Amino acid sequence: MESSFPFGVTLAVLASLIIAANALVAVAVLLLIHKNDGVGLCFTLNLAVADTLLGVAISGLVTDQLSSPPRPTQKTLCSLRMAFVTSSAAASVLTVMLIAFDRYLAIKQPLRYFQIMNGLMAGSCIAGLWLVSYLIGFLPLGVPIFQQTTYQGPCSFFAVFHPRFVLTLSCVGFFPALLLFVFFYCDMLKIASMHSQQIRKMEQAGAMAGAYRPPRTPSDFKAVRTVAVLIGSFTLSWTPFLITGIVQVACQKCYLYLVLERYLWLLGVGNSLLNPLIYAYWQKEVRQQLYQMALGVKKGLTSFLLLLSARDGGPEGPRESSCPITTISHSQLHGE
């Protein structure tokens, strides 16, 4: 019971950071979409929204953990909470997959990309993504074998969901998706390398000596780099939790729930904090927009402080009192 308080504090800090960081990135991406109207930016915005909702979902568990002793929660309410947490996490992971596929399509089919990935297609992908995410999250509520037969609070993932649910997610969703990620990444890297070699050969032949340098190759490698960082981040964050959950199913006598819920689950949820940091650092356009927003906030704060100082009768006070004297003296000189 006592160990739940530090866990509750950690959960509260993590939820606050996730919400703040992703909300900031979401605002920056919204401003970029208003300027550029890019389809790829819509997927980035969806990732920030999914991670923000995950932060909001886990913040609902904080009150139960911080109360001493931990406040009991009804099983139905706890199941709904964990279903929302799972749905938001699934939406985050699926959006990373969608971003990887979008970058792969842009490199693989550069001439047909804007015909294939238009606004209607992007909207359909996002809508389908959220539908699948909520089906995954609420699946245990309709499948009895994915539910725990006995409920002992406080509310947590394995208090209501059986490790068989984690096993199913791993075998059906996570590991096949990881293999697909590896295929996307290797193919993208191969295509980007081929483009680079072709340009190098043409430059050596003198056909493009100092005249024109195509901008495609750097963008190809930037896309490969961003996808690699996103894939690596989500893999390192969720793999320990999923593998340990599989071990728990295989070894019923191995009581790994404490490790799963206190450490590995938090590590997986922490991926939603890494995503906005990745985009704030690796994506130049997002980084520049955040810098412009910071400059705007700084400028507004400076103007507010100057206005506040003027209202308090700061440095402007003496200057205002000296103005009438200067005006009278000037008029007297004209009168003479």
Side-chain angles (χ1 to χ4, degrees), residues 43-307:
F43 299 147
T44 306
L45 176 62
N46 193 71
L47 180 62
V49 171
D51 289 331
T52 303
L53 290 178
L54 179 61
V56 173
I58 65 174
S59 65
L61 306 172
V62 172
T63 306
D64 296 345
Q65 298 293 334
L66 289 180
S67 59
S68 183
R71 190 172 62 184
T73 306
Q74 291 183 352
K75 183 179 180 180
T76 304
L77 179 59
C78 181
S79 299
L80 288 174
R81 283 181 175 178
M82 298 317 301
F84 278 113
V85 171
T86 306
S87 299
S88 302
S92 177
V93 173
L94 289 175
T95 305
V96 173
M97 296 180 187
L98 187 59
I99 291 172
F101 175 73
D102 176 68
R103 294 301 86 207
Y104 173 75
L105 188 63
I107 293 177
K108 188 75 173 178
Q109 301 286 342
L111 300 179
R112 298 182 56 211
Y113 170 74
F114 290 103
Q115 296 177 353
I116 299 173
M117 194 56 70
N118 51 32
L120 179 61
M121 177 62 71
S124 301
C125 289
I126 292 174
L129 180 148
W130 281 103
L131 179 61
V132 172
S133 299
Y134 276 100
L135 286 175
I136 292 173
F138 284 83
L139 182 63
L141 275 66
V143 181
I145 62 171
F146 291 155
Q147 301 174 10
Q148 292 283 16
T149 54
T150 59
Y151 173 69
Q152 297 176 355
C155 182
S156 62
F157 186 87
F158 290 105
V160 288
F161 293 166
H162 197 276
R164 282 190 292 263
F165 178 52
V166 176
L167 175 64
T168 304
L169 287 181
S170 302
C171 297
V172 176
F174 181 80
F175 292 113
L178 191 58
L179 292 175
L180 194 62
F181 269 149
V182 172
F183 169 75
F184 283 162
Y185 177 73
C186 293
D187 206 20
M188 289 168 66
L189 190 60
K190 183 178 71 175
I191 294 170
S193 299
M194 288 174 56
H195 290 164
S196 180
Q197 290 174 5
Q198 290 172 358
I199 291 173
R200 216 177 285 120
K201 288 179 181 178
M202 294 176 70
E203 287 179 345
Q204 290 174 356
M208 303 177 64
Y212 176 68
R213 184 178 293 270
R216 270 194 44 78
T217 301
S219 65
D220 287 351
F221 279 110
K222 285 180 181 178
V224 172
R225 181 189 63 186
T226 304
V227 169
V229 174
L230 283 173
I231 292 172
S233 167
F234 115 91
T235 302
L236 293 175
S237 297
W238 283 109
T239 301
F241 174 78
L242 295 172
I243 291 179
T244 309
I246 294 173
V247 172
Q248 179 63 56
V249 175
C251 178
Q252 296 291 335
K253 296 180 180 180
C254 303
Y255 198 78
L256 302 173
Y257 293 112
L258 187 62
V259 176
L260 281 164
E261 293 176 347
R262 286 288 188 267
Y263 303 104
L264 300 183
W265 184 74
L266 281 181
L267 179 64
V269 170
N271 181 64
S272 294
L273 179 60
L274 291 177
N275 287 334
L277 299 180
I278 289 170
Y279 272 100
Y281 182 79
W282 290 102
Q283 289 290 95
K284 183 179 178 181
E285 53 186 0
V286 177
R287 186 171 67 247
Q288 289 178 341
Q289 184 61 48
L290 289 171
Y291 178 70
Q292 293 296 327
M293 290 168 58
L295 286 181
V297 172
K298 182 181 178 182
K299 184 178 179 181
L301 185 61
T302 303
S303 301
F304 175 75
L305 292 175
L306 288 175
L307 180 63

